[in-house]
Amino acid sequence: MLFIDHSHHNHKDRRSIIVDKWLNMSLCVNPSYKCTILSYYFLPKYFSILQASFAFVHQLCKIQTEDIEKGQKLLHIKTKSIPWIIIGSYFLFGSMWILLSDTILYRFSTDFITNKEMGLYKGWFFILLTCIFLYFLLKHLLQKNKEMESQLLESEERYRRLVESSPYAICLLRDGEITYTNQTGLEMAGVHSLSDLYRNRESLVVNQQDQKKIKEILHSIHTNENEVPETVEYQLLRSNNEIIDVESTLIPITFDHKVMTIIQTRDITERKQAVKELWEAKQLIQAIISASPIATLALDMNAKIRLWNPAAEQIFGWHSDEVIGKKSPIVPKGEKDITIPEIIEHGHILNKEVQRMRKDGSIVHTALSTAPIQDEDGQINGIMAAFMDITDKKKTEEALLKTEKLSAVGQLAASVAHEIRNPLTSVKGFIQLLNDDKPFAEKTPFLSIMLSEIDRMDAIIKDLLVLAKPQASHFTYFKVNELLSYVLQLLSTQASLYNITFMKDFTVQDDTLYGEENQLKQVFINLIKNAIEAMPEGGSVSLKTAVKGDKIEVTLTDEGVGIPAHKL
């Protein structure tokens, strides 16, 4: 190894010849230098072999999946730095060895032959130490390389399982073509393999506008105009021609100077259906509230109005624009309003009669019902109040009470009339006996007048009994004009008390009618009494009859104040 053969120097390069001459010249000087120079001469070739070995190991350990190419690139960079670590370490170790060993050798010996032999042993010892050092260094680097590859494989497996088990469809788009998709993506498209993805169809996107939008996003990603993930909703066509709603997020990535796109897609059909049903339910509730004849209000926790439906506008007179966001103006002065804390404390209130005020200042009787409004956490954040106008109901109840009182009075009057009729019949009988006695009748000419008045009293009592007690229906032929004249005569006393005059305009044509005479009497009595009560300051009531074909028209007109417009 110390002798250089020059027989083949023609096949060597210039650098080898120079090194060989340098080694022969330095042999007589110091063998350790020659060993060092030999090491430097063969070291680059050794490093080339070493680097090729690492490349071979790297290729064996290289993972054949495209998902970890970035990790491979990082591993390749780490491997390329190994030779430079070895060269630097060897240079530092060799320089320190030469300087320290030569200094020690020449300090203890000045004999040339001895130094030459010691230099030879020192050179071989240096080579041995270098081999040991390089062995442990390479072993350490290979161990680190192996650990890194193991971590890379573990990371690749972890991410592969994560992608495969993802509930979202994850696809990789490269050069306008899907090169990878997980199992969820295949199931979402309704295919068994990636090759079946575009079979019998040109595009997975149903709407052409959505296709155009997605192409524009992909174009901006591939031209590096957009590096931010974009989300788009569209309809996807499955292999069985079923259409589903999906949401895709397009994420741009760059690898090996190429731009690719990761497409993360999820099925939002159920969510879209839920949103649609929620919207329809909201529209239904709004339609019910708008069409409801009951005034409906919604108040927040500060008692400010959030909702004011059309029925509230009609009943109370305020338009929604006048009251939304303000305190309720419908509570009259002196009326204690129900506070929100009271409603929360007592819960639901059902049909509580309260008085409220209209915009014109008039009072309206209402039945109040309330219910709390809760948020998603179950906390009360408002109150729903419904007001039902019961003014007419109250008047009906008052009229019914009055009718019941009149009925009681009628029954009492019937009882009294019945009791009066019995003795009146006896008196009438005795007067008739006296009237049959001609001599006595001639002396008492007033007996006929007394009989006439008793007959009139008997008729009045009979009418009281008819009005007081319900009679069985008995249809007969009667004259309408005569029936109306009888009613006017019956109510003339009451009309005089209210300064009311009756005006008649009866037809001269045949007014015979077939019906229940007593019930019609009661109808006209009620109508004329209402007309009298509607004119507390007095006035006139006119009755007009007319024959129109086979019908008889009766028109009753008074001069009362009339019915308020809001009650019509």
Side-chain angles (χ1 to χ4, degrees):
M1 183 177 179
L2 297 177
F3 298 96
I4 306 302
D5 186 5
H6 297 276
S7 60
H8 302 286
H9 68 276
N10 294 327
H11 302 285
K12 298 181 180 180
D13 57 5
R14 181 179 179 86
R15 185 184 62 177
S16 300
I17 296 173
I18 295 173
V19 171
D20 289 343
K21 291 182 179 180
W22 190 13
L23 288 174
N24 287 327
M25 291 172 61
S26 61
L27 182 62
C28 298
V29 181
N30 193 336
S32 62
Y33 289 150
K34 182 177 180 180
C35 295
T36 304
I37 294 171
L38 274 173
S39 300
Y40 281 121
Y41 171 66
F42 289 107
L43 189 60
K45 296 182 179 180
Y46 175 76
F47 284 150
S48 298
I49 297 172
L50 184 63
Q51 189 173 5
S53 300
F54 273 106
F56 176 71
V57 172
H58 176 67
Q59 291 297 327
L60 289 178
C61 299
K62 188 175 181 181
I63 304 168
Q64 300 299 322
T65 56
E66 296 178 348
D67 299 332
I68 57 168
E69 289 183 358
K70 194 170 183 179
Q72 292 175 346
K73 187 175 180 181
L74 179 61
L75 182 61
H76 182 64
I77 293 173
K78 294 293 184 179
T79 306
K80 286 178 63 177
S81 63
I82 290 177
W84 297 105
I85 296 174
I86 296 175
I87 290 173
S89 302
Y90 183 79
F91 179 80
L92 180 62
F93 182 76
S95 300
M96 291 179 63
W97 171 262
I98 292 171
L99 293 175
L100 292 176
S101 61
D102 286 352
T103 302
I104 295 172
L105 181 64
Y106 285 109
R107 180 178 292 273
F108 292 99
S109 176
T110 57
D111 183 42
F112 178 77
I113 300 300
T114 303
N115 290 341
K116 180 180 178 180
E117 292 178 355
M118 291 295 296
L120 179 63
Y121 294 137
K122 184 167 66 76
W124 284 108
F125 183 70
F126 174 75
I127 292 173
L128 178 62
L129 290 178
T130 302
C131 291
I132 294 172
F133 171 75
L134 290 177
Y135 170 76
F136 285 104
L137 179 61
L138 290 175
K139 182 178 179 181
H140 175 73
L141 293 176
L142 288 174
Q143 182 65 28
K144 289 293 184 181
N145 190 49
K146 186 176 180 180
E147 291 177 359
M148 186 179 297
E149 289 181 351
S150 176
Q151 293 176 1
L152 190 60
L153 285 172
E154 181 181 352
S155 176
E156 185 271 339
E157 180 66 17
R158 182 167 58 251
Y159 283 109
R160 185 188 66 80
R161 292 183 179 180
L162 181 63
V163 170
E164 288 297 333
S165 61
S166 173
Y168 295 158
I170 299 177
C171 307
L172 179 64
L173 185 68
R174 177 187 293 177
D175 298 329
E177 182 180 356
I178 296 178
T179 58
Y180 168 79
T181 181
N182 62 350
Q183 185 62 30
T184 306
L186 296 177
E187 293 174 356
M188 185 176 294
V191 296
H192 298 289
S193 63
L194 196 60
S195 59
D196 299 333
L197 201 57
Y198 292 99
R199 182 174 295 178
N200 300 326
R201 52 185 168 178
E202 296 181 357
S203 175
L204 299 178
V205 183
V206 177
N207 193 295
Q208 292 184 353
Q209 295 294 331
D210 293 334
Q211 293 181 17
K212 183 179 179 181
K213 184 177 181 180
I214 294 173
K215 287 180 180 179
E216 290 176 353
I217 295 174
L218 292 175
H219 177 73
S220 64
I221 289 176
H222 291 161
T223 55
N224 294 326
E225 295 179 1
N226 186 9
E227 298 181 355
V228 180
E230 293 277 352
T231 301
V232 59
E233 292 184 5
Y234 57 93
Q235 289 185 321
L236 183 140
L237 180 65
R238 304 188 74 219
S239 61
N240 58 356
N241 293 326
E242 179 187 358
I243 297 177
I244 60 175
D245 295 296
V246 297
E247 180 185 72
S248 293
T249 301
L250 286 71
I251 307 171
I253 61 171
T254 303
F255 176 73
D256 199 14
H257 305 292
K258 290 184 179 180
V259 179
M260 293 179 288
T261 306
I262 294 177
I263 304 176
Q264 179 178 293
T265 306
R266 61 172 176 168
D267 187 351
I268 59 171
T269 304
E270 293 184 358
R271 190 190 76 180
K272 296 276 283 189
Q273 183 64 27
V275 171
K276 180 181 177 182
E277 292 176 356
L278 183 62
W279 182 84
E280 290 176 350
K282 181 180 178 181
Q283 294 298 314
L284 178 61
I285 293 173
Q286 288 181 347
I288 292 173
I289 293 175
S290 298
S292 173
I294 300 175
T296 305
L297 288 69
L299 307 174
D300 60 18
M301 297 304 291
N302 296 320
K304 293 184 178 180
I305 297 174
R306 295 162 49 185
L307 173 68
W308 185 270
N309 73 334
E313 296 178 357
Q314 183 178 2
I315 294 175
F316 298 115
W318 282 279
H319 194 269
S320 60
D321 297 337
E322 300 178 90
V323 294
I324 293 294
K326 300 178 181 178
K327 298 281 187 177
S328 175
I330 63 175
V331 181
K333 294 181 179 180
E335 180 78 9
K336 184 180 181 300
D337 192 15
I338 302 175
T339 62
I340 291 181
E342 290 177 348
I343 296 175
I344 295 175
E345 180 181 357
H346 297 93
H348 293 268
I349 296 176
L350 187 63
N351 293 332
K352 179 180 178 61
E353 293 189 7
V354 294
Q355 290 185 353
R356 290 295 180 261
M357 183 176 64
R358 295 190 180 96
K359 188 176 182 179
D360 59 4
S362 60
I363 300 299
V364 57
H365 296 274
T366 61
L368 171 63
S369 299
T370 63
I373 302 174
Q374 298 179 341
D375 58 16
E376 61 274 9
D377 298 326
Q379 300 296 321
I380 297 176
N381 61 4
I383 298 296
M384 183 71 75
F387 294 91
M388 183 170 64
D389 188 356
I390 59 171
T391 304
D392 293 338
K393 180 184 175 183
K394 295 285 288 185
K395 289 185 177 180
T396 302
E397 289 177 352
E398 291 175 0
L400 182 60
L401 181 61
K402 186 176 181 180
T403 302
E404 290 177 353
K405 291 180 179 179
L406 291 175
S407 176
V409 171
Q411 291 177 2
L412 179 61
S415 177
V416 172
H418 183 73
E419 295 298 328
I420 293 174
R421 192 176 187 186
N422 292 331
L424 189 62
T425 303
S426 301
V427 172
K428 181 179 179 182
F430 285 114
I431 292 176
Q432 286 177 344
L433 289 174
L434 291 174
N435 194 35
D436 291 338
D437 187 358
K438 297 297 182 181
F440 184 78
E442 292 176 356
K443 294 180 181 180
T444 54
F446 297 106
L447 288 177
S448 58
I449 298 174
M450 293 176 64
L451 284 174
S452 176
E453 292 299 320
I454 289 174
D455 289 338
R456 186 166 175 265
M457 290 176 62
D458 187 60
I460 294 173
I461 292 172
K462 186 185 294 184
D463 290 336
L464 285 174
L465 292 174
V466 168
L467 296 176
K469 295 193 301 182
Q471 302 291 321
S473 299
H474 182 61
F475 287 83
T476 58
Y477 288 97
F478 60 92
K479 299 287 186 180
V480 175
N481 291 343
E482 293 179 0
L483 183 144
L484 292 175
S485 297
Y486 173 80
V487 171
L488 291 177
Q489 182 180 2
L490 183 65
L491 296 176
S492 59
T493 304
Q494 184 178 359
S496 299
L497 293 175
Y498 287 92
N499 197 22
I500 303 294
T501 59
F502 294 132
M503 300 177 63
K504 298 187 293 184
D505 184 10
F506 294 160
T507 181
V508 296
Q509 300 179 11
D510 184 15
D511 61 343
T512 303
L513 189 66
Y514 181 75
E516 173 51 67
E517 183 178 6
N518 291 327
Q519 290 186 8
L520 278 176
K521 282 183 181 178
Q522 187 65 46
V523 169
F524 286 113
I525 287 172
N526 291 337
L527 288 174
I528 296 174
K529 285 183 65 177
N530 289 339
I532 292 173
E533 292 175 357
M535 295 183 292
E537 302 297 329
S540 63
V541 176
S542 62
L543 278 170
K544 180 180 179 181
T545 61
V547 178
K548 294 185 177 180
D550 58 347
K551 298 179 181 180
I552 299 177
E553 183 180 273
V554 179
T555 304
L556 189 148
T557 308
D558 62 54
E559 298 176 351
V561 295
I563 302 175
H566 69 275
K567 293 185 178 181
L568 290 176

